[in-house]
Amino acid sequence: MTAFANIMYTVEDGVAVLTLNRPETLNSFTVAMHEEVRVAMNDARTNPEVRCLLITGAGRGFCAGQDLNDRTVQSDAGPLDLGESVEKYYNPFVRSIMTLDKPVLCAVNGVAAGAGASIALACDIVLAARSAKFVQVFCKIGLIPDSGGTWNLPRALGLPRAKGLALLGDKLPAEQAENWGMIWRCVDDDALMSETMELARYLATQPTRGLAETKRLLNESFSTPMHQQMENEKYAMRRLGQSHDYREGVAAFLDKRPPVFRGD
Ligand code: T3D
């Protein structure tokens, strides 16, 4: 496995764990960290041993978005092309999460701000420590919720709450995020990693292809008309009906034994 300086990446029991590892700046993104994340995401995508990905952060924060020290920004300096940074780094990362054909869990261990909050929202199942907070901090520095934030936030919360958070930049506590349906679960801080790992190990034993098609169809549903969505469901069912794991699931049910899914 490649040695990394800004992240940690391990694969065990079918679960890849990607830990953002710049705790002194709350795991904010530098170009160097983006480049390491790209390598890890490529492994998560292509490594057949990986059947579930878990993203988390080291230390007291999950991720504070862009590292504001990674380049010189002065109010009297010339224009900076942030679109290029988004195109080159943030968008590919978010796309690689949302299109990964394996479930992606996020363990939000502390504050998730700016692109850090958007990255958490792009994951399939989000658990957060009770002390964690989500902050749409972009409005405090004259930016917009990037990294898919303007797409995922209103879908998770509806427009009124999405606008309130994005225009005010208030800190949303994990418990409220759970009550509002923005995340799957809020858990006690010391239970976060064990509970998320348990879920990840479980998902890594499930029918990976079926989970991948489910994730894709749910993500696409917001921009697909109903009749087309049902056509797409038909094609997915056709593909999955020919999979090993469908046959195994049915056989195990009829034999009254636990299934052994291979992920194909
Ligand atoms: O390329 C592009 O720019 C385009 C893409 C942009 C996407 C974005 O994410 S834009 C948004 C950038 N992020 C921010 O503006 C967040 C800035 N940070 C904060 O607002 C606060 O730190 C938090 C609300 C996240 C947490 O507050 P708190 O009180 O828990 O912690 P703190 O004391 O502010 O931070 C702890 C340390 O981390 C501190 O360093 P120090 O004083 O101990 O040496 C702080 O400077 C550092 N830190 C936190 N966030 C960043 C950071 N350093 C660099 N960049 C950061 N984003």
Side-chain angles (χ1 to χ4, degrees):
M1 192 61 62
T2 321
F4 296 110
N6 301 281
I7 65 167
M8 292 183 278
Y9 181 75
T10 56
V11 178
E12 207 180 313
D13 297 336
V15 179
V17 180
L18 192 177
T19 308
L20 305 175
N21 191 24
R22 301 185 65 247
E24 63 288 354
T25 61
L26 305 179
N27 306 315
S28 55
F29 273 90
T30 56
V31 165
M33 187 161 94
H34 274 297
E35 280 166 356
E36 294 184 1
V37 164
R38 194 195 313 265
V39 174
M41 288 305 292
N42 191 44
D43 183 81
R45 186 174 57 81
T46 55
N47 185 343
E49 285 182 19
V50 176
R51 290 173 62 188
C52 180
L53 170 65
L54 164 53
I55 301 177
T56 190
R60 77 168 177 91
F62 170 66
C63 175
Q66 170 67 27
D67 183 321
L68 299 174
N69 286 313
D70 200 34
R71 60 169 92 92
T72 310
V73 183
Q74 287 161 349
S75 36
D76 57 352
L80 196 63
D81 186 356
L82 295 186
E84 189 182 309
S85 161
V86 167
E87 180 179 21
K88 238 171 134 176
Y89 300 113
Y90 289 95
N91 283 356
F93 182 29
V94 168
R95 278 195 207 102
S96 68
I97 293 171
M98 294 189 69
T99 62
L100 190 70
D101 55 0
K102 305 164 186 183
V104 183
L105 299 189
C106 188
V108 180
N109 51 301
V111 66
S118 299
I119 287 161
L121 273 183
C123 297
D124 301 317
I125 297 183
V126 183
L127 281 81
R130 208 165 293 284
S131 66
K133 295 186 171 44
F134 296 83
V135 201
Q136 298 296 321
V137 74
F138 308 91
C139 58
K140 308 280 189 193
I141 56 170
L143 299 179
I144 54 101
D146 69 356
S147 303
T150 63
W151 200 88
N152 280 317
L153 200 60
R155 281 165 175 78
L157 288 177
L159 268 184
R161 283 173 173 161
K163 283 184 181 165
L165 291 176
L167 298 179
L168 298 172
D170 289 356
K171 291 182 175 160
L172 180 70
E175 264 179 36
Q176 197 165 353
E178 181 189 49
N179 292 339
W180 282 5
M182 194 182 95
I183 62 171
W184 176 241
R185 285 195 59 204
C186 163
V187 300
D188 290 340
D189 288 25
D190 56 7
L192 178 70
M193 278 319 287
S194 57
E195 289 205 20
T196 317
M197 273 308 293
E198 193 182 333
L199 209 52
R201 287 199 193 99
Y202 166 76
L203 284 168
T205 64
Q206 294 306 295
T208 310
R209 283 184 58 194
L211 299 183
E213 295 268 18
T214 302
K215 160 180 177 168
R216 183 181 59 76
L217 284 161
L218 289 174
N219 280 339
E220 287 174 4
S221 69
F222 291 100
S223 39
T224 311
M226 168 75 168
H227 62 275
Q228 184 59 55
Q229 186 74 7
M230 290 202 299
E231 279 293 287
N232 296 348
E233 290 175 356
K234 176 184 76 183
Y235 296 128
M237 291 295 273
R238 187 169 284 160
R239 285 189 291 276
L240 293 170
Q242 294 169 25
S243 68
H244 164 273
D245 285 349
Y246 167 66
R247 289 193 299 275
E248 168 62 9
V250 174
F253 175 80
L254 296 176
D255 295 349
K256 299 189 188 303
R257 62 170 172 84
V260 181
F261 295 118
R262 298 190 317 213
D264 63 348

